[in-house]
Amino acid sequence: PSARGRRSSRGGGEALRESCGMPGAAAGADGWVAAEYARGGQPGWAALALALLAAASVATQACSWLWLRADPPALRPDVPSWLLAALHLLQLGFLFRCLHALKVGWKVCWAKAEEEEEEEQRSRMAFLSHDISMLRLFETFLENTPQLTLLLYVILRTNKAEPSQGLGICTAFLCVTWSLLDYHQSLRSFLQDKYELSLGSSIIYFLWNLFLICPRILAVALFALLWPYGVAVHFPLVWLAMFLWVSLQGTDFMESPGPEQLYRAMVAVILYFSWFNVAQGRTLYRSIIYHGFILVDSTLLALSWLWCRSPSDEHSYLVPVVAAALPCYLLGLALRVTYYKWLHPNVRAQQEGSYDEVDANGRSDGLEFRSLSVPDLVNRRMWWLAQTQFPVSRPAGQRFLNGAAAV
């Protein structure tokens, strides 16, 4: 095939890969777990599992609808607005996005267009796939992390694990950690000339997130085992602290103040379990503050369980697990330092005289954002997200319109 054909296939293949992680697998596992709770005579646990699933779905669909309304006309699906609203009301908006992206990605794979038009199609696909990746990230943290905590609590409380619970734990851990890696890879696709993650970098990125999230969820589950209603006090307090922290960083992601508060609330849920950068500038000091806070908070939760349990407690087998949680967290931090020190793509960029990461002293040599040439629009929401991660300056004279302003 020609060089143009190879480029088109590569762009479409990436788009298809990004879009094929459709929602449903984790939700199906959660529904199975809830049904098992109901059959096992635990309607309260079943109701809680379904409530968490419903809340995550409603929040994700709300974000999807708000983003579609704010998108420039060139990036919106060619379907009536009332149909899009009905699909989101029926909790099918995310699925529609995935199918629409698959359709566009398939066209990109087999397109025989001029190079300029081909690049525009790949740029359009980058926007579509990144929206899907971020919605998947929100849905995963709003749904799977609470479900995972509930699953661990139930298993520890009953001292037995059903097959559905084992499946739920495996899928939840996989979805949570993979969503972070997928989001990072998708955000890099927003750069025109990007340095992609290698296989080794991706593995280390996946592992350090896994090693940081596991101790956090274990600490919360142990605290729930000690004081079930204490989590109902602990989560709102920590969530409020994270919400205020995000607000103080001055995010400007959504189109109006109301939806912006929804975005900050969802990011605060992510921060309860994992690091998530929301502001431009060096992340080193913010990261130190965040991980220090989470480490102290998780340690206090675990120590409270160790202090209050009786010597004859039937959960004594968990003591070695709790003792291994701190080394696990420290290993995750060490892997993160290793990733940013030696394995991050910005290391290669620095060796070649350019910089590729927000921590790289604010320099931006040689990097450009993808943009749509006809019409001359850039999705302002995606540009803002990439700007928080990559120090790329806006080209002179380029307009970044969105929503009603684009009209």
Side-chain angles (χ1 to χ4, degrees):
S2 63
R4 183 195 316 159
R6 288 195 298 271
R7 286 194 303 270
S8 178
S9 297
R10 184 181 65 239
E14 291 176 354
L16 290 171
R17 176 183 56 80
E18 292 287 344
S19 305
C20 284
M22 291 188 179
D30 294 335
W32 183 19
V33 171
E36 291 295 325
Y37 289 155
R39 283 196 293 266
Q42 298 292 344
W45 292 345
L48 180 58
L50 292 177
L52 292 173
L53 182 63
S57 179
V58 169
T60 304
Q61 300 294 331
C63 273
S64 176
W65 170 243
L66 291 171
W67 294 355
L68 281 174
R69 291 185 60 186
D71 280 344
L75 299 179
R76 297 174 189 169
D78 189 18
V79 296
S81 298
W82 66 266
L83 179 57
L84 288 176
L87 289 172
H88 284 82
L89 187 62
L90 295 173
Q91 307 302 295
L92 297 175
F94 189 11
L95 178 61
F96 172 79
R97 278 181 175 272
C98 294
L99 295 176
H100 176 64
L102 282 171
K103 178 182 177 181
V104 175
W106 183 263
K107 290 182 178 179
V108 172
C109 281
W110 297 100
K112 295 182 179 180
E114 296 298 327
E115 185 172 354
E116 181 178 349
E117 182 179 351
E118 177 188 329
E119 179 58 35
E120 179 186 346
Q121 291 174 344
R122 292 205 305 271
S123 299
R124 186 189 304 272
M125 194 61 237
F127 293 129
L128 294 176
S129 63
H130 184 77
D131 268 351
I132 291 174
S133 179
M134 192 165 190
L135 286 171
R136 186 187 301 122
L137 180 70
F138 282 161
E139 184 183 49
T140 298
F141 272 90
L142 266 66
E143 175 189 338
N144 293 100
T145 47
Q147 293 279 6
L148 185 53
T149 305
L150 176 62
L151 277 172
L152 287 178
Y153 165 75
V154 171
I155 290 174
L156 296 177
R157 179 73 179 271
T158 59
N159 272 327
K160 63 179 181 179
E162 300 293 337
S164 60
Q165 294 172 325
L167 176 63
I169 289 177
C170 293
T171 56
F173 267 125
L174 179 62
C175 288
V176 169
T177 313
W178 181 262
S179 67
L180 289 168
L181 175 61
D182 177 71
Y183 169 78
H184 187 68
Q185 291 177 327
S186 176
L187 192 60
R188 300 193 66 81
S189 71
F190 197 63
L191 293 177
Q192 188 78 278
D193 299 313
K194 58 183 181 297
Y195 294 94
E196 297 183 355
L197 292 178
S198 65
L199 178 60
S201 300
S202 299
I203 292 174
I204 296 299
Y205 193 95
F206 180 90
L207 289 178
W208 71 252
N209 279 290
L210 181 65
F211 290 152
L212 292 179
I213 292 174
C214 287
R216 177 61 175 173
I217 292 179
L218 175 63
V220 176
L222 288 175
F223 184 68
L225 186 65
L226 173 66
W227 187 22
Y229 297 102
V231 178
V233 178
H234 177 265
F235 175 79
L237 290 177
V238 176
W239 174 87
L240 180 60
M242 295 300 175
F243 179 82
L244 294 176
W245 192 42
V246 172
S247 300
L248 290 175
Q249 295 181 59
T251 62
D252 185 26
F253 180 72
M254 305 292 272
E255 293 295 315
S256 58
E260 187 67 26
Q261 301 307 313
L262 173 62
Y263 167 74
R264 293 173 179 177
M266 298 175 74
V267 169
V269 176
I270 296 178
L271 288 170
Y272 182 84
F273 296 99
S274 176
W275 163 258
F276 187 80
N277 185 34
V278 296
Q280 300 179 27
R282 290 181 62 86
T283 62
L284 176 62
Y285 300 115
R286 293 198 301 268
S287 180
I288 291 175
I289 293 172
Y290 171 79
H291 286 294
F293 176 86
I294 293 297
L295 182 58
V296 171
D297 181 69
S298 299
T299 301
L300 291 176
L301 293 180
L303 288 178
S304 65
W305 176 79
L306 288 171
W307 181 266
C308 296
R309 74 177 189 88
S310 62
S312 59
D313 195 338
E314 59 182 355
H315 297 104
S316 298
Y317 65 91
L318 288 175
V319 174
V321 178
V322 175
L326 178 59
C328 180
Y329 196 89
L330 296 178
L331 176 59
L333 292 178
L335 288 176
R336 183 179 182 186
V337 172
T338 301
Y339 171 81
Y340 282 106
K341 185 69 175 177
W342 292 289
L343 298 176
H344 194 275
N346 77 318
V347 175
R348 177 184 168 193
Q350 291 173 4
Q351 292 173 351
E352 298 183 8
S354 60
Y355 290 80
D356 190 32
E357 177 66 21
V358 72
D359 288 336
N361 300 322
R363 296 183 58 182
S364 57
D365 304 336
L367 295 179
E368 298 179 0
F369 284 130
R370 289 185 181 272
S371 61
L372 293 177
S373 57
V374 183
D376 186 16
L377 297 174
V378 169
N379 188 315
R380 188 196 68 86
R381 182 176 65 253
M382 296 300 102
W383 177 86
W384 187 87
L385 278 174
Q387 188 77 350
T388 64
Q389 302 292 331
F390 310 106
V392 185
S393 302
R394 174 160 42 182
Q398 191 170 17
R399 302 173 62 198
F400 291 92
L401 303 180
N402 205 2
V407 180

